[in-house]
Amino acid sequence: MNEWLAVFIGGGIGSISRYAVSRWLGVTEGGFPIGTLTANLLSCLVLGLAWGYFTRHVEVPPTIKLLLLVGFCGGFSTFSTFSMETLKMFQTGNYLMAVGYIALSILLCILVIVLSLRVFGGE
């Protein structure tokens, strides 16, 4: 499979998945974007599990790695939406929620990748 096509297909599936999670969970009554946070955490989980698996199983074709790591995870996670939602929180005076969202997003996403890498004994 062509590398570009693999990224394209993975990105499409990831984007649809992100849209579904965001529609399903959306925003809490208090305005916290739980859908975006969940999509980003799930993307980090998939990335960590796949990365850990791929480091142990070198026979996986490079196009499959691109499809999943670059395409799917890139389409599923969303830094731009996270940034926009954070800016909106600051603009509406929800400073504590904005700072909490930033901290939760960064710390939990890194933690999820670290823990999921360990499942397959990755880095």
Side-chain angles (χ1 to χ4, degrees):
M1 179 186 310
N2 180 304
E3 292 176 346
W4 292 89
L5 183 59
V7 172
F8 175 76
I9 291 169
I13 295 168
S15 294
I16 289 170
S17 300
R18 180 183 72 233
Y19 180 72
V21 168
S22 293
R23 291 283 301 198
W24 178 50
L25 295 175
V27 176
T28 66
E29 284 185 33
F32 190 82
I34 192 71
T36 302
L37 179 61
T38 301
N40 286 339
L41 289 170
L42 289 172
S43 180
C44 288
L45 177 66
V46 171
L47 182 82
L49 290 172
W51 186 6
Y53 180 82
F54 295 155
T55 58
R56 292 286 190 219
H57 299 86
V58 290
E59 73 278 355
V60 177
T63 51
I64 298 301
K65 293 176 185 178
L66 284 171
L67 184 143
L68 193 56
L69 298 176
V70 176
F72 180 79
C73 290
F76 194 21
S77 62
T78 174
F79 190 75
S80 57
T81 302
F82 158 76
S83 299
M84 180 191 66
E85 291 166 344
T86 303
L87 178 60
K88 285 182 181 179
M89 287 180 213
F90 279 119
Q91 289 174 334
T92 58
N94 291 320
Y95 305 112
L96 187 58
M97 186 185 301
V99 171
Y101 185 41
I102 292 167
L104 271 175
S105 295
I106 293 170
L107 295 175
L108 288 179
C109 283
I110 291 170
L111 180 64
V112 165
I113 288 178
V114 168
L115 293 176
S116 59
L117 272 171
R118 292 184 179 184
V119 169
F120 291 107
E123 298 172 12

